[in-house]
Amino acid sequence: MSNNFLDTKIEFLKGVGPKRAEMLRKELGVTTFGQLLLYYPFRYIDKSKVYTIADINSEEAHIQLKGKITELQTLGERKGKRLVANLRDETGEIELIWFKGVKWLASSIIIGKEYIVYGKPSKYRNKYNIAHPDLDEVDQSLIANQVTLEAVYPTTEILTRMGLNAKGIHKIQKNLVAQLGNKIQETLPISILEQLKLIDKERAVINVHSPENEHLLQKSRYRLKFEELFYLQMYLLRQKVIKTETIKGAVFNRVGNYFNHFFNENLPFELTGAQKRVLKEIRDDIGYGNHMNRLLQGDVGSGKTIVALMSILIAIDNGFQACLMAPTEILANQHYEGITELLKGMNLNVQLLTGSVKVAKRREIHEELENGKLNILIGTHALIEDKVKFQNLGFVVIDEQHRFGVQQRSKLWRKGSPDPKTGKAVPPHVLVMTATPIPRTLAMTFYGDLDVSVIDELPPGRKEIKTIHRFDSSRLKVFGFIEEEVKKGRQVYIVYPLIKESEKMDYKDLMDGYESIIRRFPRPQYQISIVHGQMKAKDKDFEMQRFVKGETQIMVATTVIEVGVNVSNASVMVVESAERFGLSQLHQLRGRVGRGGEQSYCVLMTGNKLSADGRLRMETMVKTNDGFEISEVDLKLRGPGDIQGTQQSGLLNLNIADLVRDGQILQYARDIAVEILKDDPNLEQDKNHRLVSTLRLLFGGKVNWSRIS
Ligand code: ADP
Ligand code: MG
């Protein structure tokens, strides 16, 4: 057994050579045998399952046909240019169409030759056709060897030009796999292999590139996916162990008068089960000297604030100060008012610090922070200014996480006070709250080194928001509905998209919409607010406040209202051009209503023509109010790379596993990693030796191994 084999330069592989090697490096980052083996197929053609053209009866699935091309035509000009081929088998004919690579395909397809065609049929004018199918010449050698599953590799235009199209890559992989046999070491501990009945590494690698049969292929893919996710989780969890060992937090082991008084006298309702559970999770963190860094996910209206407040009270019971930071002035104000009200009669000093607090007041706040008279400071970014110094900051709450960058968060960290013994600053415990749910699988990966709590239960008696989808053509009816609601004394949001690329058009749409709304709802009977991105912050605030105070009945806005304002009298959310919003954004917008006791509505307006995607988004919104369910659909539609806040993460560069589809495997992988680290946090035991060497190989310099070997 030798790893030299895997380190062999790719140019020495049969069928590669220096030129192709250079391109493989540039295009795919592949320079060695080992790296090429990690370049996995993205699907397989089952050569044994061939449909006949007459059998095609749905648009559902990808299928494979075998037939002769009888006609080939290039049609249209420029953007409309396309290649249309006619495929015939014994049972009928079907059109194949390509809009891309027309020239190259036109010159390479041979009329009269037999091809295997792979693609997804769609129906147009009552006839099926296939757009952008894959075309392969019928490979006699494969038929002779009775191999039925053939790997298909992703490729690039440049590689294709050098003869490394999907087929070409398949060929060099075959040359490489042919040399395997006692060349790839096992990377998982025997105990895991046995526990999960996984097949061994080399066999899996061979079968994933050249499957012997369907069963072995599935086992191989499972094994490789598991391994990939397992080591990622090992890495993340190990980082967490290191953090827990090196960063200590203040110990809040007392639940005292403030907490108890609040709980017994002030708490206006019974906590939901989910709220109790999260509160316990937080107490378990802060009670024993760990440093807490916790993400609290909970749908809009799930009652995150009260959980944050009760945690703050524990901090105060232990002699510390706390602060709560919100992304906008309006939100900070609302928190300030809400929390002051909740703490009535408790003799706690709560203050608000935002950009518009006057100098004298500001000075007073600074002073009281430093001499410890101030217990809870609520505010905006103003909190992180250097001038703001706490006597003893123990607990930080950040609302609506994605509005703050990591840097801002770390500034708050440093506001902790020094440990009397060591003189080192002890960071305050941090609770980050977000109403943008992240699917579990993603949370496990992106926040693998953070703790995540979830409030997955709404307070009782909350009415579901009724969501309806209407086409633009029924706008008059929607206006009629708005009128009824306003007559009942309710308030209404009408939201327009604002997307950077088409800012001008969007602005025009907004203004046109505003005009027609004013015409339909004239002053002085109706008062209308408008808020959009081109207004000055001060004017925006002024308009928002008018709406918050109920002076205006309708708020026309671009998505600037997305985050957290609470107008409990607002009962209707109309979203214009709803098809242009992503699911999580739509869900956030909908969360602006339904905050009072009244039945609330969300009306999604779209054009008559909707893409399949758009239709699914509307259907999902109409079907469910559950943010987690919505985030799962969102993930399936957009893929993990587009989920908020995850874009830059290198953790997404998985070779074979798929965070969308492999959630179950990920869960196993994480559970097993947790077990191992519980038993051997620093991976010092002999049986875990293989884990350490593999982790080192995979994550190299990124891992802090000082504690290990
Ligand atoms: P969010 O999670 O969106 O920040 P809030 O904390 O603002 O939600 O809570 C939404 C509303 O629900 C508030 O008016 C709050 O007082 C109320 N609420 C919170 N928890 C409960 C509960 N257990 N029972 C009844 N009402 C609750
Ligand atoms: Mg909130």
Side-chain angles (χ1 to χ4, degrees):
M1 292 221 292
S2 142
N3 269 327
N4 293 340
F5 176 77
L6 293 178
D7 293 336
T8 313
K9 290 271 170 277
I10 197 76
E11 60 173 295
F12 300 117
L13 179 63
K14 189 173 143 209
V16 178
K19 268 201 189 130
R20 282 180 165 183
E22 181 58 14
M23 275 307 138
L24 284 168
R25 183 185 66 77
K26 276 198 180 140
E27 292 288 292
L28 309 178
V30 166
T31 63
T32 63
F33 283 13
Q35 286 167 347
L36 185 63
L37 287 173
L38 281 174
Y39 192 69
Y40 295 118
F42 70 106
R43 64 179 175 82
Y44 298 83
I45 301 179
D46 184 347
K47 298 271 170 185
S48 66
K49 278 194 204 121
V50 177
Y51 265 69
T52 58
I53 293 172
D55 279 344
I56 299 173
N57 61 8
S58 92
E59 302 182 302
E60 291 305 303
H62 279 79
I63 56 162
Q64 188 166 248
L65 301 167
K66 193 162 102 183
K68 285 189 174 131
I69 302 283
T70 56
E71 251 184 87
L72 196 61
Q73 269 183 298
T74 306
L75 301 173
E77 293 288 327
R78 286 196 200 111
K79 282 205 164 168
K81 195 165 172 180
R82 61 198 185 275
L83 180 69
V84 180
N86 198 57
L87 180 82
R88 181 185 296 165
D89 69 6
E90 313 82 66
T91 68
E93 292 185 329
I94 189 168
E95 251 180 23
L96 314 176
I97 306 168
W98 293 267
F99 296 94
K100 284 184 202 142
V102 168
K103 213 171 142 194
W104 185 80
L105 278 162
S107 66
S108 60
I109 295 176
I110 300 167
I111 293 182
K113 196 168 182 137
E114 199 164 43
Y115 286 97
I116 298 273
V117 174
Y118 180 89
K120 198 168 149 183
S122 57
K123 213 171 191 172
Y124 182 69
R125 295 204 173 134
N126 251 337
K127 265 175 67 184
Y128 285 105
N129 66 58
I130 303 181
H132 282 280
D134 286 348
L135 219 52
D136 282 320
E137 290 171 27
V138 175
D139 187 334
Q140 298 303 333
S141 69
L142 287 179
I143 292 172
N145 289 326
Q146 286 194 325
V147 172
T148 60
L149 286 169
E150 187 185 301
V152 182
Y153 295 87
T155 181
T156 69
E157 234 179 287
I158 293 176
L159 286 174
T160 302
R161 262 189 260 135
M162 301 201 64
L164 290 176
N165 57 4
K167 266 257 141 81
I169 294 180
H170 179 249
K171 258 191 206 136
I172 59 172
Q173 289 279 21
K174 235 167 60 178
N175 294 341
L176 181 51
V177 169
Q179 301 182 45
L180 292 178
N182 245 352
K183 293 226 167 58
I184 302 179
Q185 288 180 357
E186 182 51 61
T187 40
L188 287 171
I190 312 275
S191 57
I192 294 182
L193 292 178
E194 281 173 356
Q195 190 185 346
L196 293 180
K197 301 198 172 57
L198 299 177
I199 69 173
D200 74 70
K201 171 92 178 214
E202 187 162 49
R203 194 142 178 246
V205 172
I206 292 173
N207 267 282
V208 94
H209 291 292
S210 299
E212 283 169 53
N213 56 50
E214 180 71 30
H215 175 71
L216 273 174
L217 172 62
Q218 292 317 330
K219 287 203 72 112
S220 304
R221 283 173 58 79
Y222 189 95
R223 139 93 215 203
L224 295 171
K225 285 176 176 194
F226 176 85
E227 172 176 352
E228 186 165 42
L229 294 169
F230 170 74
Y231 275 108
L232 183 56
Q233 290 302 323
M234 275 306 282
Y235 169 66
L236 292 168
L237 291 165
R238 175 68 200 133
Q239 296 298 95
K240 195 160 134 188
V241 169
I242 294 170
K243 254 195 210 164
T244 332
E245 284 185 353
T246 51
I247 306 170
K248 294 294 169 197
V251 185
F252 296 172
N253 53 9
R254 205 167 357 162
V255 169
N257 287 340
Y258 285 113
F259 184 95
N260 288 327
H261 179 96
F262 180 82
F263 190 77
N264 296 323
E265 312 285 333
N266 288 36
L267 186 61
F269 37 68
E270 171 98 8
L271 292 178
T272 63
Q275 285 170 323
K276 284 183 198 159
R277 172 170 43 77
V278 172
L279 205 54
K280 181 165 183 313
E281 285 165 3
I282 293 172
R283 282 176 57 181
D284 285 347
D285 265 359
I286 60 184
Y288 305 97
N290 290 332
H291 175 254
M292 184 180 83
N293 209 358
R294 186 172 283 277
L295 178 74
L296 174 54
Q297 297 193 57
D299 229 326
V300 174
S302 60
K304 296 184 288 291
T305 316
I306 207 83
V307 171
L309 180 61
M310 292 174 81
S311 314
I312 284 176
L313 291 175
I314 297 178
I316 297 174
D317 274 334
N318 287 275
F320 286 85
Q321 294 167 305
C323 69
L324 185 159
M325 187 158 78
T328 65
E329 196 148 317
I330 292 181
L331 272 174
N333 260 309
Q334 281 185 353
H335 273 307
Y336 175 71
E337 278 162 25
I339 287 175
T340 309
E341 179 66 27
L342 281 164
L343 296 179
K344 239 192 194 150
M346 287 186 57
N347 197 22
L348 281 168
N349 186 353
V350 184
Q351 297 286 353
L352 177 69
L353 182 65
T354 66
S356 47
V357 169
K358 297 272 169 352
V359 178
K361 180 72 185 169
R362 198 179 279 257
R363 211 170 286 143
E364 180 193 318
I365 289 176
H366 287 171
E367 222 176 274
E368 291 191 353
L369 270 182
E370 289 196 54
N371 68 23
K373 278 199 191 134
L374 213 168
N375 303 105
I376 304 174
L377 184 62
I378 295 170
T380 54
H381 290 80
L383 294 192
I384 49 181
E385 285 174 16
D386 291 334
K387 281 174 285 183
V388 180
K389 296 196 185 82
F390 293 80
Q391 186 197 48
N392 203 1
L393 179 65
F395 202 90
V396 171
V397 180
I398 301 176
D399 199 9
E400 305 293 352
Q401 157 246 7
H402 53 272
R403 300 268 153 163
F404 290 108
V406 173
Q407 276 198 339
Q408 291 165 320
R409 233 180 291 164
S410 73
K411 270 193 142 175
L412 273 171
W413 262 55
R414 291 199 296 271
K415 290 188 185 294
S417 45
D419 185 315
K421 275 174 250 154
T422 63
K424 269 209 298 203
V426 179
H429 297 294
V430 179
L431 182 68
V432 174
M433 307 197 288
T434 174
T436 312
I438 300 154
R440 277 176 55 74
T441 50
L442 280 194
M444 274 191 252
T445 307
F446 296 110
Y447 302 112
D449 59 345
L450 256 184
D451 293 298
V452 181
S453 284
V454 177
I455 301 188
D456 50 6
E457 180 186 355
L458 289 183
R462 198 62 63 77
K463 287 202 180 79
E464 286 249 309
I465 300 164
K466 285 205 176 112
T467 304
I468 30 188
H469 170 209
R470 289 281 176 269
F471 293 112
D472 289 339
S473 44
S474 44
R475 170 159 293 110
L476 290 181
K477 277 195 196 145
V478 173
F479 277 174
F481 175 68
I482 292 175
E483 186 178 3
E484 280 169 37
E485 285 292 301
V486 170
K487 273 196 182 135
K488 285 193 235 159
R490 307 278 108 78
Q491 287 166 286
V492 176
Y493 293 102
I494 304 179
V495 173
Y496 286 79
L498 180 69
I499 293 162
K500 270 266 168 327
E501 299 86 69
S502 49
E503 214 162 339
K504 276 210 183 101
M505 280 291 290
D506 284 345
Y507 185 67
K508 188 173 171 304
D509 286 352
L510 172 78
M511 283 310 169
D512 290 352
Y514 180 58
E515 296 290 318
S516 68
I517 292 159
I518 291 216
R519 247 176 280 131
R520 179 64 174 72
F521 299 96
R523 291 190 188 108
Q525 193 187 348
Y526 299 98
Q527 296 294 331
I528 300 177
S529 285
I530 181 164
V531 170
H532 57 78
Q534 307 197 351
M535 288 163 69
K536 291 211 182 82
K538 231 176 72 192
D539 299 336
K540 268 194 240 174
D541 248 32
F542 177 76
E543 284 292 313
M544 282 303 304
Q545 288 300 349
R546 289 212 305 153
F547 188 70
V548 171
K549 287 184 204 144
E551 292 167 11
T552 58
Q553 296 104 356
I554 300 176
M555 161 65 77
V556 179
T558 50
T559 47
V560 289
I561 56 163
E562 209 180 316
V563 165
V565 269
N566 192 4
V567 179
S568 56
N569 190 45
S571 65
V572 183
M573 166 64 65
V574 179
V575 185
E576 292 282 348
S577 304
E579 69 270 34
R580 291 178 54 198
F581 291 89
L583 266 176
S584 72
Q585 235 182 340
L586 287 173
H587 182 61
Q588 285 291 303
L589 285 169
R590 175 167 62 184
R592 297 304 109 217
V593 297
R595 308 195 137 216
E598 303 302 328
Q599 178 61 56
S600 293
Y601 304 88
C602 175
V603 185
L604 305 170
M605 306 286 299
T606 69
N608 285 356
K609 266 197 178 164
L610 275 180
S611 65
D613 243 53
R615 216 179 316 146
L616 180 56
R617 270 179 279 144
M618 297 311 128
E619 283 166 11
T620 306
M621 287 296 295
V622 169
K623 196 180 79 192
T624 180
N625 267 280
D626 179 339
F628 283 94
E629 205 177 320
I630 288 170
S631 75
E632 297 284 350
V633 178
D634 201 25
L635 177 62
K636 288 201 173 99
L637 280 178
R638 301 197 299 164
D642 281 330
I643 301 288
Q644 202 158 34
T646 62
Q647 283 86 346
Q648 286 100 27
S649 176
L651 298 178
L652 277 183
N653 302 333
L654 296 171
N655 288 315
I656 190 165
D658 174 337
L659 290 177
V660 179
R661 264 169 280 168
D662 301 325
Q664 183 77 55
I665 307 178
L666 176 56
Q667 182 70 59
Y668 285 147
R670 186 171 175 92
D671 289 349
I672 291 180
V674 167
E675 258 173 56
I676 292 174
L677 285 171
K678 206 188 250 169
D679 176 49
D680 184 13
N682 290 317
L683 299 178
E684 288 154 337
Q685 297 173 19
D686 271 355
K687 65 175 185 202
N688 290 327
H689 197 76
R690 197 175 270 171
L691 293 175
V692 177
S693 52
T694 309
L695 276 169
R696 208 176 258 148
L697 208 65
L698 289 172
F699 297 98
K702 283 188 280 182
V703 189
N704 179 353
W705 298 111
S706 53
R707 310 278 323 232
I708 298 185
S709 54

